[in-house]
Amino acid sequence: MMMQKTFDFFVPYNRFMNEQGQLEQALPAWSRDQKRLLQAYETMVLIRNFDQKAVALQRTGKMGTYPSILGQEAIGVAIGQSMRKDDVLIPYYRDLPAQYLRGVRLVETLLYWGGDERGSCYQQCPEDLPNCVPIATQMCHAAGVATAFKIRGEKRAAVVTCGDGATSKGDFLESLNVAGVWQLPMVIVVNNNQWAISTPRKVQSASQTIAQKAIGAGISGIQVDGNDYFAITDAVQNALEKAHAGKGATLIEALSYRLGDHTTADDATRYRSKEELKAGWEREPVQRLRQYLVTQNLWSEDKEKALQAKSADIIETVVQEYFNTPPEPPESMFDHLFADMPATLVEQRIEAKSLAGYTDNQPGSHH
Ligand SMILES: Cc1ncc(C[n+]2csc(CCOP(=O)(O)OP(=O)(O)O)c2C)c(N)n1
Ligand SMILES: [Mg+2]
């Protein structure tokens, strides 16, 4: 038997900066924008501090379950800085830096994780979709958004994110398939943080990379060091340019590491080693970008102190705003789903309203 090669593929990998913030190759031209680099670093620090506060609010019973993004900040910053205002973000639940840069207010984030639906009603970026907790369903929504852009002839892109675990789901593969066959203006960013709750990446899939899942759908895939702000930003930017130019979708696998528990409802010490966590801290993105900025004389101890103080102030103000937001009335749970509410729900809504006098364990209360 003589077999010929029918198709060959390779999966590119990129990074610019090593674990110590030293360059391994020349940076792309956009990186000369110092304001942009400083905004990236300042956002990462603010969000890291906010994230820690959010965990503390859950631990003290002032907020619901919360998924920390500790260690994965560079990915969201890259997305948030690179998207155009009129692109649409279809996030999962670890995209706070992207959402923040898009205009989602931090108080909206606290309201959402505090169980208040008004936290998904983004005042400054109303077309962005809310956090998606069901795994991978947002991929189909993103394919729909991208299809609408294409049909209307709009030069806009749908940017969707998910985790490594989500890439095993049918919704993920089906969305990739239409993104390829319809040449959709779509950017898919997979935050490969190495874990899906307690399931490690190596038992998640036999695929050597997640990026190569793009090949089966006929779209391009790239793997980048997702802890390298420059690498992930460059990949997102290139993918967006391509989408805006009508040249189709891109899948970006961003290698990262989940330094925290899966959520506040998890205890990762039960399934992963101290050594692995320690190695994760040595690769984390914030320190890395800071070291780079220091070598460029763009950052100093004084600037760091000022930033920490400013972040603490912002967070304190936002938390107070959250505490001071009166809860929604219980009957609001019936609102916003139906244009015309079915009669049975109208009845239940009236009943809920009549029971609203209960003070015991009042729904929607943040305290
Ligand atoms: C459809 C669905 N199945 C199961 C779950 C429970 N669940 C929540 S998070 C998660 C793991 C997701 O892992 P990954 O996609 O790697 O994202 P990560 O949380 O690591 O960022 C699972 C199984 C869910 N939310 N939705
Ligand atoms: Mg994961």
Side-chain angles (χ1 to χ4, degrees):
M1 190 164 44
M2 255 280 283
M3 287 208 250
Q4 298 159 16
K5 186 191 292 174
T6 172
F7 179 58
D8 201 5
F9 65 82
F10 96 113
V11 182
Y13 167 85
N14 194 30
R15 85 165 174 177
F16 292 96
M17 190 165 63
N18 71 11
E19 284 79 359
Q20 287 73 45
Q22 295 155 341
L23 295 185
E24 292 180 329
Q25 56 168 319
L27 289 176
W30 62 261
S31 70
R32 282 185 227 121
D33 182 351
Q34 298 186 350
K35 257 175 77 182
R36 182 173 179 165
L37 304 193
L38 291 173
Q39 183 201 43
Y41 180 70
E42 288 171 9
T43 304
M44 283 194 214
V45 169
L46 171 66
I47 296 300
R48 182 164 287 193
N49 291 345
F50 176 86
D51 191 78
Q52 192 179 19
K53 183 69 183 182
V55 172
L57 287 172
Q58 187 280 336
R59 293 284 187 251
T60 50
K62 302 208 185 297
M63 209 177 66
T65 303
Y66 174 76
S68 166
I69 53 143
L70 186 62
Q72 299 140 81
E73 296 89 347
I75 299 169
V77 167
I79 294 170
Q81 281 192 329
S82 304
M83 287 175 70
R84 288 190 198 151
K85 186 76 192 154
D86 71 345
D87 293 330
V88 167
L89 179 66
I90 300 102
Y92 78 124
Y93 47 78
R94 272 190 232 283
D95 291 298
L96 181 52
Q99 292 176 310
Y100 174 73
L101 288 170
R102 300 277 301 154
V104 172
R105 293 148 62 236
L106 292 175
V107 69
E108 289 169 336
T109 299
L110 293 180
L111 285 169
Y112 173 78
W113 295 111
D116 190 324
E117 289 295 337
R118 289 171 298 183
S120 293
C121 192
Y122 307 137
Q123 287 177 16
Q124 296 170 25
C125 46
E127 286 190 294
D128 282 2
L129 268 61
N131 291 320
C132 188
V133 172
I135 302 302
T137 55
Q138 75 279 14
M139 304 297 306
C140 305
H141 309 155
V145 170
T147 305
F149 292 160
K150 177 144 187 167
I151 290 170
R152 294 181 195 154
E154 295 173 350
K155 288 207 175 320
R156 305 166 73 185
V159 179
V160 62
T161 59
C162 67
D164 42 306
T167 69
S168 301
K169 279 201 69 217
D171 338 31
F172 176 85
L173 299 161
E174 292 160 23
S175 304
L176 237 54
N177 188 63
V178 287
V181 78
W182 292 343
Q183 278 242 333
L184 296 181
M186 200 166 153
V187 177
I188 302 132
V189 182
V190 178
N191 172 359
N192 177 1
N193 63 11
Q194 313 302 328
W195 290 90
I197 316 185
S198 54
T199 303
R201 166 65 182 87
K202 64 177 181 298
V203 306
Q204 183 66 243
S205 168
S207 190
Q208 293 91 332
T209 69
I210 286 170
Q212 78 203 54
K213 296 193 181 194
I215 291 158
I219 67 175
S220 48
I222 178 171
Q223 187 186 64
V224 299
D225 183 338
N227 289 328
D228 171 357
Y229 161 74
F230 295 112
I232 175 67
T233 303
D234 204 53
V236 172
Q237 241 180 231
N238 292 339
L240 278 168
E241 266 170 39
K242 199 173 127 187
H244 290 142
K247 294 186 176 152
T250 308
L251 168 61
I252 301 166
E253 175 185 7
L255 297 172
S256 71
Y257 189 77
R258 197 195 76 205
L259 291 170
D261 294 326
H262 169 70
T263 66
T264 48
D266 174 49
D267 174 8
T269 62
R270 293 175 58 169
Y271 55 81
R272 72 172 172 193
S273 72
K274 279 197 191 91
E275 293 71 35
E276 187 188 300
L277 184 59
K278 190 164 168 280
W281 273 104
E282 283 158 14
R283 299 194 302 267
E284 68 92 11
V286 179
Q287 187 66 14
R288 210 189 274 203
L289 183 57
R290 180 175 161 183
Q291 281 170 320
Y292 174 79
L293 294 175
V294 168
T295 62
Q296 301 300 303
N297 286 321
L298 290 172
W299 202 248
S300 64
E301 277 304 317
D302 284 349
K303 283 187 180 157
E304 182 68 26
K305 257 191 220 142
L307 173 61
Q308 292 292 345
K310 188 175 142 204
S311 300
D313 278 353
I314 293 172
I315 292 163
E316 189 47 41
T317 306
V318 164
V319 170
Q320 284 314 317
E321 198 185 341
Y322 167 62
F323 286 161
N324 293 336
T325 307
E328 281 198 292
E331 69 272 17
S332 69
M333 72 176 120
F334 295 95
D335 301 337
H336 314 300
L337 188 57
F338 293 97
D340 297 306
M341 207 185 295
T344 48
L345 288 186
V346 172
E347 245 171 64
Q348 288 178 36
R349 192 179 187 283
I350 291 166
E351 192 180 355
K353 207 167 169 183
S354 75
L355 295 172
Y358 280 127
T359 51
D360 196 26
N361 204 10
Q362 203 172 61
S365 170
H366 309 304
H367 301 280

